[in-house]
Amino acid sequence: MLTVVCETPGTLLAQDRPMPERGAHEVLLRVKRVGVCGTDLHIFTGKQPYLSYPRVMGHELSGIVEAAPADSALHPGDAVYVMPYLSCGTCIACRAGKTNCCTRIQVLGVHRDGAFTEYLTVPQAFVHKAEGVSLDQAAMVEFLAIGAHAVRRSGLRAGQRVLVVGAGPIGMAAMIFAQLRGATVTALDGRQDRVDFCTGALGVHAGVPLGEGDEEQLAKLTDGEFYDVVFDATGNPQAMERGFRFVAHGGSYVLISVVGANITFSDPEFHKREMSLMGSRNATTEDFSTVLDAMRAGLIPPSLNTHRLALADVPTQFQNLLDPSAGVIKAIVEC
């Protein structure tokens, strides 16, 4: 079967690998769609802190069941999506229902090989029927669930003002679910085309391009009070540190980004605001359900999927997805 491997940063190789053998509690999937995530781009560029090479990328996937355990609710031919965070179920986090930050977590495409391949085996507990959504939609549930989780974790309430810094797919997911909670959302990003997409396709209240005078614009939009909740989805340490300045007194700052660096902030500014600082990692089954309900209700813009490529073309075309002029929001690989 065709498998694309990231051998080292910047090097993708097409290999012919044997079909995987299904374990007793595993499902054999024929991979159909794989969303390309910022994590994949970071793996390709050598900026993912939790990874060793070589690695088969890909954790946003949908597929068709080829074989499943006899006692499973899944059957050959079922269309499915996968929760790619393979949690242990017994650690302190899992016992508290926080499987998204399991102490022994194995994320497909990061800690173990993922879905840039034609067939994949996954423990059956993490494979779910994709009822009422298309294969394309099912491959986009995961990144949207990350945004939904961050919004849920923030405790956001209707009527609050939200700033999302970083208008990539994860940032856009946070914008979508913040709006569904009734928040007034502003997007801040260094690319004007992304800002325009957020105000146009996503309908956010305001968009501010990163650069000279941006802080003054954010202050003007909020009568100088800034934002009840700020989400960072930049993956940039300097941006993450700067974001503290945009949090209102009594507000919350949610770091969806993860970087291989230390983040520092002014303790007096942090304390005088009595700011709540949160990390937001991955998502849970509750967040996946939230996304699926929104998809079935027609609340997720289909325009998020802007590019497509075939699995066989990934080694030669993947780097094009890094070109800002290509206007990529979400690319989907067809297997």
Side-chain angles (χ1 to χ4, degrees), residues 152-168:
R152 179 168 65 88
R153 179 152 166 69
S154 74
L156 181 65
R157 301 187 304 274
Q160 290 190 307
R161 290 183 293 215
V162 165
L163 175 66
V164 179
V165 187

Side-chain angles (χ1 to χ4, degrees), residues 241-259:
E241 292 181 351
R242 187 178 185 231
F244 283 85
R245 306 216 303 256
F246 305 141
V247 181
H249 281 241
S252 299
Y253 191 22
V254 183
L255 300 179
I256 314 176
S257 297
V258 58
V259 294

Side-chain angles (χ1 to χ4, degrees), residues 13-100:
L13 301 176
Q15 297 181 350
D16 184 13
R17 290 189 171 185
M19 286 274 292
E21 294 186 7
R22 184 179 69 83
H25 302 291
E26 291 184 326
V27 177
L28 175 64
L29 300 177
R30 178 158 51 97
V31 180
K32 298 298 290 182
R33 305 284 190 274
V34 189
V36 178
C37 178
T39 297
D40 301 317
L41 301 177
H42 291 154
I43 292 169
F44 180 72
T45 56
K47 297 177 182 177
Q48 219 292 333
Y50 299 135
L51 185 116
S52 59
Y53 297 87
R55 178 63 69 223
V56 178
M57 300 185 297
H59 61 274
E60 303 177 2
L61 70 141
S62 63
I64 303 295
V65 174
E66 289 285 309
D71 61 350
S72 172
L74 299 168
H75 302 95
D78 285 345
V80 295
Y81 69 90
V82 172
M83 278 194 69
Y85 327 121
L86 309 186
S87 51
C88 73
T90 59
C91 73
I92 185 171
C94 289
R95 295 197 308 270
K98 295 179 68 68
T99 55
N100 57 304

